[in-house]
Amino acid sequence: MCGFIGYINGTNKIDHHQTIERMMNTIIHRGPDSGGIYTDDKVTLGFRRLSIIDLSDAANQPMYSADGNIVLVFNGEIFNFQELRADLVARGYSFTTQSDSEVLIYGYIEFGVEFVKQLRGMFAFCVWDKKKDLQFIARDGFGIKPLYYTSYTYDQTFIFGSEIKSFLPHPSFIKELNKEALRPYLTFQYNSMDETFFKGVYKLPPAHYMVIQNGKKNIVQYWNKKFDAQEAPLEKYVEEIRETMRNSVKAHKISDVKVGSFLSGGVDSSYITALLRPDKSFSVGFLDYEEMFDETSLAKDLSNTLDVQNERKYITADECFEALPKIQWHMDEPQSNLSSLPLYFLSQLAAKDVTVVLSGEGADEVFGGYSWYQSSNKMRQYEKVPFSVRKALGSVAEMFPKNRYTQFLIKGGQTVEQRFIGHAIVWEEQDALKVLKPDYQNGPSVNSITKRIYDEIPSGDDVTKMQYLDFHLWMPGDILLKADKMSMAHSIELRVPFLDKEVMELAKKIPSNYRVNTTNTKYALRQASYQELPEEWVKRPKLGFPVPIRHWLREEKYYKLVKELFNEDFAKEFFDTDQLVGYLDEHFEGKANRGRYIWTVYVYLVWYKCFFVEME
C-alpha cells in the first residue's frame, strides 16, 4: 500500500526533482517508510512506500525492468501475484525481488496492457514504457484504490496520482472549484460525478485503464460487474460462497507485517474475522451514547468466542468536530457520510498495533445486503395491483402534502429507476435548488447521473438494478473512498475480501431471490456464514456505523459552532444562509430532524475552507 504522483512534463521550464518532491510530501501519510523519484525529459514519477510485502530496499519504487526500459509506480496489492509470477518464470523471466510490483513489470512486457485482465487485487498503477513512448495507467475493478488525473494546467501538463492534494504544488496546476459538483453532492452526500470538485480533475473509473501515446489518451473498460444469474440449488451456492470466501481471506492475509480486522456486531465483519482469526480485532463506539450507538459489546463478545483480543475506543463529539477538517483534507473532496468519523478513529486505533486490516466492505453490494433492496410487506402486497393503477394513484398523491401515506403511493407508482438513486438521499433535490445560489444550480440532476448506469442493464430485475447502481455510484464514490482515505490517513492498509474478483464472478451467477427475499437480505451469504458464526450473528440486521449527529446538533456548543460557519462570508457565495440557519434553528429547537441537511452543508463548508480559504 502506497501512494504515487506523476506527470507528463509540460512546456514550462521547472525543476522536476524539486517539484515532484513537494508533491510527494503531501501524501507522505500513504507511504512513510520510503520515497523514490524518476524523471527524464518526458515523464516525472514520485512514490511513497508503506512496506507490506518484501520489506527489503530492493522492492522500493519506482521499480525498473532489468533493461531499464519499463518504469513502474504501483499502489495496492496483487493477491494472485505468486501464480502470475510462476507463470512468468516458466516463460523465462527472472525476478530479483519477492514483491508483487515486479510481477506487474514483466506481466506488462509479456502481455501488454491486456495483462490487467489477469490481475486479482486492489490497485492503481502507472507503467512508463520509454521505447514505445507509452504511459499505461490502470485502476482495479471495484475502485478500491483511487486514481485521479487532469490536463487542466497552464501548459497542458498531464498530472495523475493517488490523491488530488498532491496536484496542488505543481506550478502549472489550475486550482479551481467545479461549480457543477455541489448540486448533486447535497443529495448524494458524496461526489457522484467523474469530474471531481476540482475543475478539470477526473477519477479514472473502476475497471478501466488509460493509454497515453503520441499525445492521445484512450480509456478502455477491461471488466464488468453485470449479473448473469444461473439457476441452481441454494445449497450449491452456499458451499461455493464458503469455499470462495475462505480462499479470498487466505489471499488477502498475505503480508510480511501484522494483520488485524475491523469488527462491528454485523455479519460481514464478523464473518471476515471468523475466517481470518487474527491476533487482534478493533472496534469503536460513542461515549455517552453506548446504548443507542454502540456495537462494541457485540464485537467484544464475538472476539471472546473466537479467542481474539479486541481493542476498543469510545469517541466523543469534541473529538469528531475537532478532527473534521483533517478528515476532509484527507478525503480530497467533501464527503458527509457520517461513518467517516468512526472509521477515522478506528484506523487510528488499529495503527497502534498492525499495518494491515481486513474489513467487511462490499458484502452488501455483492450479496444484496441493504434493507432498501427488500420491499416492505405492505409494498409487496401493493405491488400486486397493476402498475398502471399504482402509477395513476401516485400521480394523484403528488398533488397533496407530503406524509407517509402519500409517499407510499408515490413510491408504489414509480419504477425502480425513478425511485432509487442509491443509499444516500440527503437533501431532496427541490430543497437543494432552493437553498443554492443561482451559479451553483446548474449541476447535473440526480436522474441524469443514475440514468446512464440504469441504461446499461435495461432488462434486469429490481434487486439487480439497485445493486448495479450501487456498484457504480455508492460503492466507489462513498464506501471505498472513505475506506482508503481514512485508513491511509493513519498509514495502514485496509483490505476488503468481499471485493475480490473471484468472489464477484461467483456472485454474478447467484439468482436474486438467493440474494434478497422475504426472509432476509444477503440470504445466501448468511447461510454460508452459519459454519463460522453463532446464529444470532448470522441473523442480526445491518446497523452500519450509526453516529449521534442529530443529538450533538441539539447541544448548544455544536449548534453555535455550525451556526458560526454558516454565517461566514464565504458561505454566502454558495447558499441562502438564512435558510440554512432556519434549518439549524428548527433542528436545535426539536421542531424537525434536519441533522443530515445541516451536516452535509457543514462538511462542504469545512472542506471548502480547508482547500480554498486557508490554502490560498
Side-chain angles (χ1 to χ4, degrees):
M1 178 69 72
C2 312
F4 62 83
I5 177 67
Y7 57 89
I8 298 176
N9 303 339
T11 56
N12 280 356
K13 300 297 182 182
I14 61 174
D15 184 327
H16 294 299
H17 194 281
Q18 185 182 75
T19 297
I20 199 70
E21 188 83 55
R22 287 178 21 238
M23 297 170 85
M24 289 164 57
N25 286 341
T26 66
I27 56 168
I28 199 167
H29 52 278
R30 296 192 74 92
D33 294 333
S34 65
I37 292 173
Y38 170 82
T39 185
D40 61 25
D41 60 345
K42 293 183 179 179
V43 167
T44 301
L45 302 172
F47 181 78
R48 294 298 321 182
R49 184 184 184 197
L50 178 65
S51 303
I52 303 290
I53 294 175
D54 188 346
L55 308 184
S56 70
D57 289 344
N60 286 343
Q61 296 182 41
M63 186 173 282
Y64 306 88
S65 58
D67 63 2
N69 178 58
I70 304 299
V71 188
L72 171 79
V73 285
F74 159 52
N75 168 30
E77 307 290 347
I78 307 300
F79 297 119
N80 62 337
F81 80 96
Q82 293 163 329
E83 303 98 280
L84 296 174
R85 176 192 172 104
D87 177 62
L88 289 166
V89 168
R91 292 172 182 268
Y93 291 93
S94 298
F95 289 79
T96 59
T97 75
Q98 298 300 313
S99 73
D100 49 354
S101 306
E102 198 174 11
V103 171
L104 289 178
I105 289 176
Y106 293 109
Y108 166 77
I109 291 173
E110 178 67 19
F111 299 104
V113 298
E114 293 295 302
F115 182 59
V116 71
K117 295 179 180 179
Q118 300 183 39
L119 302 180
R120 177 187 184 185
M122 53 183 202
F123 55 83
F125 63 78
C126 169
V127 168
W128 169 230
D129 187 328
K130 300 180 195 176
K131 290 180 181 177
K132 293 182 180 179
D133 192 18
L134 180 148
Q135 197 167 44
F136 168 42
I137 66 175
R139 191 178 181 198
D140 69 72
F142 297 97
I144 303 168
K145 296 290 97 192
L147 185 51
Y148 304 95
Y149 67 92
T150 187
S151 295
Y152 194 58
T153 55
Y154 292 112
D155 62 351
Q156 293 302 296
T157 296
F158 179 78
I159 308 174
F160 58 92
S162 303
E163 297 193 8
I164 302 172
K165 65 180 66 66
S166 63
F167 296 11
L168 304 184
H170 195 289
S172 294
F173 178 68
I174 302 171
K175 186 179 75 170
E176 184 178 331
L177 181 70
N178 174 15
K179 293 183 178 182
E180 293 190 351
L182 184 53
R183 174 184 171 180
Y185 159 79
L186 291 180
T187 295
F188 284 106
Q189 81 178 10
Y190 60 92
N191 179 24
S192 54
M193 301 164 56
D194 289 335
E195 187 177 11
T196 70
F197 266 83
F198 291 86
K199 185 175 180 178
V201 177
Y202 292 85
K203 298 170 281 190
L204 185 67
H208 284 69
Y209 65 80
M210 177 190 292
V211 173
I212 308 160
Q213 191 174 29
N214 301 321
K216 296 181 180 179
K217 304 179 187 72
N218 186 33
I219 297 178
V220 177
Q221 181 176 347
Y222 65 84
W223 186 56
N224 75 70
K225 296 178 282 295
K226 291 182 179 178
F227 286 87
D228 182 20
Q230 299 176 18
E231 291 297 331
L234 173 63
E235 294 74 19
K236 173 181 180 294
Y237 282 121
V238 167
E239 187 52 45
E240 287 186 12
I241 291 171
R242 286 173 179 155
E243 182 64 22
T244 307
M245 285 307 304
R246 278 194 292 266
N247 289 339
S248 180
V249 170
K250 182 179 179 181
H252 280 72
K253 71 178 182 181
I254 296 172
S255 171
D256 293 327
V257 294
K258 290 182 180 179
V259 180
S261 70
F262 288 164
L263 181 59
S264 66
V267 65
D268 305 337
S269 62
S270 298
Y271 192 31
I272 296 299
T273 302
L275 290 170
L276 177 64
R277 301 296 174 107
D279 292 332
K280 288 187 177 183
S281 64
F282 303 92
S283 312
V284 293
F286 290 95
L287 197 65
D288 301 326
Y289 293 92
E290 291 89 345
E291 293 186 7
M292 291 185 288
F293 300 92
D294 184 30
E295 290 188 287
T296 59
S297 58
L298 298 173
K300 179 68 172 176
D301 290 346
L302 182 64
S303 294
N304 290 340
T305 300
L306 299 175
D307 195 24
V308 172
Q309 183 178 340
N310 180 247
E311 299 290 341
R312 292 184 284 177
K313 173 182 172 63
Y314 288 96
I315 313 163
T316 67
D318 280 351
E319 287 178 299
C320 289
F321 276 91
E322 183 179 340
L324 186 61
K326 185 177 291 186
I327 287 171
Q328 292 306 309
W329 181 82
H330 279 290
M331 283 292 187
D332 279 333
E333 298 187 82
Q335 204 260 34
S336 67
N337 188 329
L338 289 161
S339 64
S340 300
L341 298 171
L343 186 54
Y344 177 83
F345 290 101
L346 183 59
S347 298
Q348 185 183 66
L349 174 68
K352 297 175 182 178
D353 294 300
V354 299
T355 309
V356 174
V357 288
L358 270 57
S359 189
E361 278 87 352
D364 294 311
E365 290 81 6
V366 172
F367 290 106
Y370 291 120
S371 59
W372 54 85
Y373 295 159
Q374 187 181 43
S375 296
S376 67
N377 290 330
K378 289 182 179 179
M379 185 59 74
R380 282 196 294 272
Q381 291 298 315
Y382 186 52
E383 286 171 349
K384 295 177 181 178
V385 175
F387 180 73
S388 59
V389 176
R390 288 184 279 124
K391 183 178 179 181
L393 290 172
S395 298
V396 173
E398 288 179 346
M399 302 175 188
F400 291 88
K402 284 184 180 181
N403 57 53
R404 61 193 181 98
Y405 303 108
T406 58
Q407 289 296 92
F408 178 86
L409 292 172
I410 291 169
K411 183 178 178 181
Q414 294 175 327
T415 63
V416 66
E417 292 88 348
Q418 293 171 315
R419 71 174 183 267
F420 184 75
I421 69 164
H423 168 60
I425 306 177
V426 182
W427 281 75
E428 292 288 343
E429 199 162 16
Q430 291 306 310
D431 288 349
L433 289 171
K434 289 175 184 176
V435 80
L436 284 169
K437 291 292 182 70
D439 283 353
Y440 297 88
Q441 294 175 1
N442 298 321
S445 69
V446 168
N447 284 339
S448 71
I449 291 171
T450 60
K451 184 179 185 301
R452 62 181 176 82
I453 298 168
Y454 278 130
D455 285 349
E456 296 176 11
I457 48 164
S459 60
D461 60 67
D462 283 4
V463 169
T464 297
K465 287 182 177 181
M466 287 187 281
Q467 284 181 263
Y468 193 76
L469 186 75
D470 278 342
F471 269 130
H472 290 79
L473 288 181
W474 165 248
M475 191 171 73
D478 189 307
I479 294 293
L480 295 178
L481 182 75
K482 66 180 172 61
D484 174 83
K485 300 294 178 72
M486 295 299 91
S487 57
M488 291 311 303
H490 300 288
S491 305
I492 63 170
E493 175 172 288
L494 188 150
R495 299 179 179 178
V496 281
F498 284 114
L499 295 180
D500 175 78
K501 190 175 182 180
E502 299 303 317
V503 174
M504 186 66 217
E505 290 299 336
L506 168 60
K508 286 179 180 180
K509 304 174 185 177
I510 299 175
S512 60
N513 63 307
Y514 293 166
R515 288 176 255 143
V516 180
N517 56 38
T518 56
T519 303
N520 215 329
T521 58
K522 278 183 300 206
Y523 187 72
L525 176 64
R526 291 179 191 273
Q527 297 302 305
S529 68
Y530 268 112
Q531 200 170 77
E532 305 291 340
L533 296 174
E535 183 176 5
E536 60 187 297
W537 264 262
V538 173
K539 292 185 173 181
R540 185 172 290 121
K542 182 176 180 62
L543 183 59
F545 247 151
V547 178
I549 190 65
R550 70 177 184 271
H551 300 283
W552 292 343
L553 292 174
R554 285 180 175 141
E555 294 183 33
E556 188 169 2
K557 178 179 181 178
Y558 307 116
Y559 162 79
K560 287 182 175 178
L561 186 67
V562 173
K563 188 173 184 178
E564 181 180 358
L565 189 59
F566 281 3
N567 284 323
E568 289 266 15
D569 288 340
F570 74 85
K572 296 177 173 62
E573 160 73 14
F574 312 106
F575 302 107
D576 179 339
T577 53
D578 289 338
Q579 279 195 56
L580 290 182
V581 173
Y583 283 134
L584 180 63
D585 289 341
E586 274 187 346
H587 185 86
F588 180 67
E589 294 164 7
K591 295 177 180 177
N593 181 6
R594 303 290 190 183
R596 297 298 304 283
Y597 270 33
I598 295 162
W599 183 252
T600 299
V601 172
Y602 182 68
V603 163
Y604 171 76
L605 293 174
V606 167
W607 170 84
Y608 183 83
K609 185 175 183 179
C610 174
F611 280 98
F612 287 90
V613 177
E614 296 176 341
M615 193 188 295
E616 285 292 350

